[in-house]
Amino acid sequence: MSFRLMPLYRLGGLGAAISMVAICGLVSLQVLFRLVDALLVLFGSSRLGIEVTGVSELASFLLVGATFLGIAYTFTHHAHIRMSLVIQRLPAAIRAFTELFCLLVATALNLLLCVSLWALMRESIEFNDVSSGLLAIPIWIPQLVLLIGMALMNLALLEALWMTARTAFTSPSSYQPADDDTSAGH
C-alpha cells in the first residue's frame, strides 16, 4: 500500500522527532545546570542557581507533539500494534472486508475525535485558557498540535480506507494486507 500523502506524514514524523530531541535537550540542560551547581558546592563555592524554568511543563507539551505528530507516520509504516492474530488467517476476500470495516470504524472514531478537539481548542481560545504551571502557556497551542496530529492520522486512515475499499469491491480475492507488503510507503 503506497500512500500519496507520505510527504505530509513524514513532516509530522519530523515534528515528532524534533519534539523528542527538544525534550532530550531541555532535560539534559537542566541536569547539566544541576551538575555544575553540585560540583561548585563540592569544591566549596556557591551555587549559580541557573535552571530552565518550567522544564517539566515544556517537556509534557513537547511529549504531546512527539506522540501525536508521529501517529500518522507510524500508521503508514505499519508500526502500530494490531490485533491481526485472527484476521491474518482469514481468506483474502474476507480479510479485505474485515480490514475495510475496521478502517471505517477507526476513521469514524478519529473524525469524531478531531471534531471534539477542534471544539475544545476553540473553547480554550475563547476563554483564554493558559496552563497552570510557571510559564502560563496558552493551552490552545498544545491542543492545536494534538489536532494537527490527529488530522494527519485521519488523512492516513482515509487513504488506507480508499485503497482497501477499491480492492475489496473490485477484486477482493487479490487483497494483500498492507503489513505484508514489503514496499509499503518506502
Side-chain angles (χ1 to χ4, degrees):
M1 188 178 299
S2 166
F3 291 89
R4 291 182 183 200
L5 297 176
M6 187 57 80
L8 200 54
Y9 310 138
R10 283 191 186 113
L11 193 60
L14 178 64
I18 290 170
S19 296
M20 287 189 277
V21 169
I23 291 170
C24 182
L26 283 171
V27 171
S28 297
L29 195 60
Q30 186 74 351
V31 168
L32 179 67
F33 290 154
R34 288 182 184 180
L35 181 63
V36 167
D37 275 351
L39 288 173
L40 286 172
V41 169
L42 183 66
F43 291 115
S45 187
S46 61
R47 302 177 141 203
L48 295 176
I50 301 171
E51 65 177 50
V52 181
T53 305
V55 74
S56 60
E57 185 178 9
L58 285 172
S60 66
F61 289 145
L62 286 167
L63 184 60
V64 169
T67 304
F68 288 94
L69 289 176
I71 199 166
Y73 179 82
T74 306
F75 174 76
T76 58
H77 284 78
H78 318 294
H80 282 195
I81 297 172
R82 295 185 49 145
M83 299 300 293
S84 58
L85 185 61
V86 174
I87 64 171
Q88 72 185 5
R89 301 183 193 292
L90 296 174
I94 295 172
R95 183 163 184 188
F97 286 101
T98 304
E99 292 277 350
L100 184 63
F101 174 75
C102 292
L103 285 167
L104 272 169
V105 171
T107 304
L109 290 174
N110 195 74
L111 184 60
L112 180 63
L113 180 62
C114 285
V115 169
S116 299
L117 287 171
W118 175 258
L120 181 66
M121 189 183 75
R122 286 186 53 216
E123 186 178 295
S124 295
I125 292 170
E126 181 182 335
F127 292 110
N128 295 318
D129 286 341
V130 293
S131 61
S132 59
L134 293 171
L135 300 179
I137 296 171
I139 206 73
W140 67 266
I141 296 171
Q143 288 172 344
L144 176 63
V145 171
L146 199 153
L147 177 60
I148 289 169
M150 294 314 295
L152 286 173
M153 179 63 176
N154 210 44
L155 284 174
L157 283 167
L158 284 169
E159 270 196 277
L161 179 66
W162 173 255
M163 290 182 275
T164 304
R166 191 173 54 200
T167 303
F169 290 115
T170 57
S171 59
S173 59
S174 70
Y175 178 73
Q176 182 179 9
D179 50 357
D180 291 349
D181 187 338
T182 55
S183 65
H186 299 288

